[in-house]
Amino acid sequence: MKKAVIIIAMMIFLTGASGCSLERKKPDVEKTAIDYTVVEDADVPEEFMEVIQGKKSEPFKITFSDKENLFIAIGYGEQPTGGYSITVEEIYQTRDTVEIKTQFAGPVKNEQVAGNITYPYIVIKVEDTDKTVKFL
């Protein structure tokens, strides 16, 4: 009898412990895609371009607002040659932030590139917002 009680208790425990839940967890953050433009140097506000030029030898992540647009600049510092590229992998907004992730790639093997030092950076323009920019 004692053995039967132990077996029943173990079965109840194992049944409860191995139960699965189908409840779906809501994402912690609601992400909304936002429109952006990669800006050429000539279209970057002069004041912001001066800041970029002053920081370009080291990696940087900075923003600038002209009250109409928000400019986001990401630089990768001094590089020994040309041939580097920067792409926007993700850019979206949450309730409190604008989040951006870029990818930096070096020259392709055997690619002919300029042999001089370069300072690769990208400037992104989005509609102005009071949200904090988060670099991923």
Side-chain angles (χ1 to χ4, degrees):
M1 179 78 161
K2 205 175 192 184
K3 220 178 197 183
V5 171
I6 292 174
I7 291 173
I8 292 171
M10 286 179 64
M11 288 176 60
I12 292 170
F13 172 77
L14 290 174
T15 302
S18 66
C20 295
S21 173
L22 295 176
E23 180 182 327
R24 291 182 185 222
K25 186 177 178 182
K26 289 185 178 180
D28 294 337
V29 177
E30 182 90 19
K31 298 177 182 179
T32 306
I34 55 176
D35 292 330
Y36 70 93
T37 304
V38 175
V39 182
E40 298 294 326
D41 286 354
D43 298 322
V44 175
E46 187 176 331
E47 180 182 348
F48 192 41
M49 185 52 81
E50 288 175 10
V51 174
I52 291 169
Q53 293 301 319
K55 292 184 172 289
K56 72 180 184 181
S57 63
E58 297 294 326
F60 64 85
K61 297 175 181 176
I62 55 177
T63 63
F64 175 83
S65 172
D66 67 4
K67 304 299 182 206
E68 185 178 324
N69 298 295
L70 174 65
F71 295 86
I72 303 166
I74 302 168
Y76 289 87
E78 184 177 295
Q79 301 300 322
T81 66
Y84 291 86
S85 65
I86 305 166
T87 55
V88 177
E89 281 196 352
E90 291 185 278
I91 185 166
Y92 56 85
Q93 62 185 343
T94 67
R95 192 181 84 214
D96 302 319
T97 61
V98 170
E99 300 188 8
I100 184 168
K101 181 177 183 181
T102 58
Q103 181 165 357
F104 181 60
V108 177
K109 190 174 184 176
N110 297 325
E111 176 183 3
Q112 290 216 332
V113 296
N116 54 321
I117 293 173
T118 59
Y119 305 91
Y121 62 88
I122 190 169
V123 179
I124 308 298
K125 179 175 74 172
V126 299
E127 188 176 313
D128 194 28
T129 179
D130 290 334
K131 295 179 181 185
T132 301
V133 175
K134 183 176 178 183
F135 298 92
L136 304 175

